[in-house]
Amino acid sequence: MKSAILFALVSTAAVARVSIAQNPVPIQTLQRQPGVAISGEVGDVVGNDFVLTDGTGQIVVDAGPQWYHQINIASGEQVTVVGEYDEGDFDAFSITRSNGEVIQIRPADGPPPWAGGPQRQDR
């Protein structure tokens, strides 16, 4: 009986986390929590960073350093970004274009793969 209740709680938590990531929140209401989705139009792009605007506000999205990987996002694109709000910007875990193409940036758990800098041996 205890295992059935535990399974139900874990399943409910997993479903809740997935639904949060699938339902974009307004940029204006962002708080620090992982697995949040935001959607909007890409503004200025500098390297792998870009401004995302959704009508309630705008935020800089950080998609990791260019030496680790390069993303090809263009101003004017409509995207949904899953990630977490972090000290004034939004750290991207994945970016989904309007055509459904998903750009994987990093895992949601743990430090980013580039945390050791460009000299890191296991990249």
Side-chain angles (χ1 to χ4, degrees):
M1 178 72 170
K2 286 182 183 180
S3 62
I5 292 170
L6 180 60
F7 177 75
L9 291 173
V10 170
S11 297
T12 302
V15 169
R17 185 171 184 172
V18 169
S19 65
I20 290 171
Q22 293 175 351
N23 297 316
V25 298
I27 290 170
Q28 175 181 337
T29 65
L30 282 176
Q31 296 179 11
R32 187 178 176 109
Q33 66 185 63
V36 175
I38 57 175
S39 291
E41 183 175 328
V42 175
D44 293 333
V45 179
V46 177
N48 283 349
D49 293 348
F50 58 91
V51 175
L52 188 67
T53 303
D54 73 352
T56 69
Q58 61 183 17
I59 193 162
V60 173
V61 175
D62 180 355
Q66 283 186 294
W67 61 260
Y68 183 77
H69 65 196
Q70 289 191 344
I71 62 168
N72 187 17
I73 295 290
S75 182
E77 273 191 76
Q78 293 290 323
V79 298
T80 298
V81 183
V82 174
E84 69 180 337
Y85 180 70
D86 182 32
E87 298 178 22
D89 68 3
F90 194 79
D91 293 340
F93 301 154
S94 67
I95 301 168
T96 304
R97 292 188 152 105
S98 59
N99 67 2
E101 177 190 353
V102 177
I103 303 168
Q104 292 297 327
I105 306 299
R106 59 167 279 203
D109 296 328
W114 53 82
Q119 295 79 23
R120 186 173 167 168
Q121 298 298 314
D122 63 343
R123 58 183 179 124

